């Protein structure tokens, strides 16, 4: 049991090192040698926990959404529905340095998936999860079930669009405008609900 925990901790550590390499140097720099140097490990250790480049990439994208799931699960119970919806959406936007890096990693790996078929299933899962979170938000604000599929696509597109703008903000520039856009969208959905 301790050995499997150690391997999982090592995978997480290596994946986080891969994030830093991706965010700083881009996808072309994502190599066993560079990730090992970033993690302070010998390349053989990286190859042991991730025998292929694809397995490293896949685990790296999975870790991004593991962290997102953890943040969403940490939203306190008992919040009013509208506030819970608001908090959930905030977790999906790059509003701090950690989430900016996560989005940059996601974007780099999403681009890689265009030519790496092994990455496609992990990215397809991301789309499914984003749709599920969007549907949860819509349920929380009272959107009728018949309208949720369309509204989930619209909300997902809004989140993706806002995220793309936020990740490119200049240092020190506020992203408060994006929160306002989300809140106005939620308010509009709530007003249209029966």
């Amino acid at each position: 049991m301790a050995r499997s925990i150690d391997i999982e901790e090592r995978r997480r550590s290596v994946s986080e090192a891969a994030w830093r390499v991706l965010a700083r140097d881009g996808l072309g720099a994502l190599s066993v040698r560079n990730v090992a140097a970033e993690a302070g490990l010998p390349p053989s250790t990286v190859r042991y926990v991730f025998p292929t480049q694809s397995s490293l990439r896949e685990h790296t994208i999975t870790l991004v959404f593991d962290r997102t799931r953890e943040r969403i699960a940490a939203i306190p119970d008992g919040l009013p529905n509208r506030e819970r919806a608001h908090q959930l959406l905030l977790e999906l936007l790059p509003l701090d340095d950690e989430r900016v890096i996560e989005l940059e990693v996601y974007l780099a790996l999403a681009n890689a998936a265009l030519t790496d078929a092994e990455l496609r299933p992990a990215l397809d899962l991301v789309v499914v999860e984003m749709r599920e979170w969007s549907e949860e938000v819509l349920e929380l604000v009272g959107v009728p079930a018949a309208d949720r599929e369309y509204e989930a696509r619209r909300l997902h597109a809004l989140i993706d669009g806002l995220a793309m703008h936020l990740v490119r903000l200049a240092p020190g520039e506020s992203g408060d405008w994006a929160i306002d856009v989300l809140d106005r969208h939620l308010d509009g959905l709530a007003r249209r609900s029966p």
Side-chain angles (χ1 to χ4, degrees), residues 87-106:
Q87 291 298 320
L88 193 156
L89 290 175
L90 292 184
E91 295 303 338
L92 302 177
L93 292 178
L95 295 169
D96 59 27
D97 291 342
E98 178 182 340
R99 287 179 281 172
V100 166
I101 290 171
E102 290 173 2
L103 182 59
E104 288 174 345
V105 167
Y106 169 74

Side-chain angles (χ1 to χ4, degrees), residues 132-145:
E132 289 171 355
W133 288 324
S134 296
E135 288 176 2
E136 180 180 346
V137 165
L138 297 170
E139 184 176 349
L140 286 166
V141 297
V143 172

Side-chain angles (χ1 to χ4, degrees), residues 101-137:
I101 290 171
E102 290 173 2
L103 182 59
E104 288 174 345
V105 167
Y106 169 74
L107 292 172
L109 293 174
N111 285 335
L114 296 173
T115 58
D116 182 350
E118 291 182 47
L119 264 183
R120 196 61 205 210
L123 290 167
D124 289 345
L125 179 60
V126 167
V127 171
V128 168
E129 285 189 287
M130 286 295 292
R131 183 68 47 78
E132 289 171 355
W133 288 324
S134 296
E135 288 176 2
E136 180 180 346
V137 165

Side-chain angles (χ1 to χ4, degrees), residues 10 63 75 87:
R10 184 62 50 98
L63 183 57
I75 296 171
Q87 291 298 320

Side-chain angles (χ1 to χ4, degrees), residues 18 46 53 67 72 83 98 131 145-146 148 156-157 162 171 192:
V46 174
Q53 183 83 348
R67 286 186 168 200
I72 289 172
E83 180 60 21
E98 178 182 340
R131 183 68 47 78
R148 284 192 202 139
H156 186 174
L162 290 173
R192 289 184 15 217

Side-chain angles (χ1 to χ4, degrees), residues 163-192:
M164 292 301 297
H165 286 280
L166 288 169
V167 79
R168 300 294 174 227
L169 289 178
E173 190 176 347
S174 172
D176 289 348
W177 61 270
I179 298 169
D180 183 54
V181 169
L182 270 182
D183 283 339
R184 288 177 186 222
H185 184 73
L186 284 178
D187 291 343
L189 289 169
R191 277 193 300 273
R192 289 184 15 217

